[in-house]
Amino acid sequence: MSSADNESFASFPLDRRLQAAITQAGYDKPTPIQQQAIPVVLEGHDVLGIAQTGTGKTAAFMLPIAHRLAATAVRGTRNPRCLILAPTRELADQIGVAGATFGGAVGLRGVALYGGMSKRPQDEKLRRGVDIVVACPGRLLDHVDERTIDLSAIEILVLDEADQMCDMGFLPDVRRILSHMPKDRQTLFFSATMPNDIRTLSDQILRNPVSIEIGRSAPAATVSHALYPLRENSKGAFLLEMLDREATGKVLIFTRTKRRARHLAEVLDQRGHRVSALQGNMTQNRRQAALEGFREGRYDILVATDLAARGIDVSRISHVINYDMPSTVEAYTHRIGRTGRAELTGEAFTFTTPEDEPLVRGIERVLGSRIERRTLPDFDYGSTPPRQGRPAMQRDGNWTPRGQSVPAANQPRRDSRPRHEGQSRPVQPVQSSRPLQSARPAQTARPASPARPAGQTSPARPSEGRTFGRRPR
Ligand code: AMP
């Protein structure tokens, strides 16, 4: 089947509960890696995937795994049937959220195992039985050594970010883990790059794998990129300040939702900017008028959602501002492709909150360099450190199938993403003299926890991933 045949999720023979979960997650169409990987994994093949975070890779393996495990449910088994190994707590967190969303939808039980939290709740979960385990290698080996986990029934193994696992010195741990599980299994191997030792490992453990490589075109070199680490509720005031200070031409601003686009355009209008929104709730005529007005210079600013902006072609956009981070690296490249066209220079500014870090890293990999973190001099960031976000999983890192009760505060959230590790300096909350009136923060408050030092991407002991509930020890 060519990937062109897979342009909707409905084309995959996935359990209807998974189809419903996909809709509920708000996924319109499969990303390229999902188009290619889902049918192959469903057919039981091994996969060698060269792809990075931000491509939709997690759902690309979690959806078919959930389908396969649900379709071949083994009664009475308490031993895990699927193991997903990830190098960092952040990634394990993210995978855990996908596991809760999609595995939970078909009644699968899961747990995420990594250091920094007591083993006892993990032992308890394992004793009661789980189907899917997401783990960082070190903590998993602790459980193996203590015989609190039995890997002899693993049917599907996923190695995620294998190159990072290798960089962090996990390869011996991974090999030890492999020795505890059956050779007769399906293995999905994902890596962003293929250095020699990773190639060797993949050759050793994959059987007739289907190779999937997701190439991505980097944005034009004429665009300069900058990140502005912010708290969610500072974004509005910050944008107004930025627009006042920055010499801009045509500015295209992206928001995550239609509602946020409309609100933001209203606020900018109230502040005297020549602005229009472009979002899906508008009639075709009004959308056309907004676009023409922007193209012809009647509006300096267009506030748009990804969907509404699809295919728009406006020349000489000086600035693209990601008021909200896009959901994938592809979407970032796509948005930024609106500026820096035809050898003209352009600026791409992205407001980031701590939850956006995994995606930021994915974007930096595509660009091949670290994106500059900037602050606006003299902007009143306030005095309290930013609240750091964390995925809202249960505190012991496990999830419960749909239909079973999970306290509301612990329900997995689609937008839950790990903290912003690479944040170059602490960002303070705004106490602006110009508060936003109608732009509302989209995220609810989360538990506060201290920021990690700049550039530190892994915990002190590399074998321990981040916990869902507490900071690493
Ligand atoms: P990943 O590469 O798995 O880390 O995914 C990056 C982000 O893309 C996550 O926030 C996912 O929820 C989101 N995502 C995955 N698949 C899709 C899709 N088909 N449509 C829109 N967003 C998606």
Side-chain angles (χ1 to χ4, degrees), residues 29 33 36 58 88 105 112 120 123 129 148 169 174 191 268 277 291 294 332 340-341 356 358 377 383 426 444:
K29 70 192 241 325
I33 191 164
Q36 294 186 48
T58 316
T88 63
R120 204 174 303 156
D123 292 344
T148 43
V174 170
S191 194
L268 293 171
L291 204 48
F294 186 52
Y332 180 86
R341 284 186 173 181
D356 298 326
S383 56
T444 50

Side-chain angles (χ1 to χ4, degrees), residues 394-464:
Q394 285 175 260
R395 290 182 73 83
D396 56 0
N398 75 88
W399 68 80
T400 309
R402 256 189 210 145
Q404 295 184 20
S405 73
V406 175
N410 290 336
Q411 296 279 8
R413 292 159 35 136
R414 193 167 73 82
D415 63 343
S416 295
R417 276 186 268 164
R419 80 183 54 239
H420 189 158
E421 294 169 324
Q423 200 166 298
S424 56
R425 69 199 86 199
V427 178
Q428 312 299 331
V430 67
Q431 293 172 345
S432 174
S433 52
R434 304 162 59 180
L436 265 191
Q437 276 151 18
S438 50
R440 290 190 285 145
Q443 292 177 348
T444 50
R446 299 183 189 181
S449 56
R452 184 173 285 178
Q456 183 180 325
T457 55
S458 61
R461 183 183 167 194
S463 60
E464 293 168 348

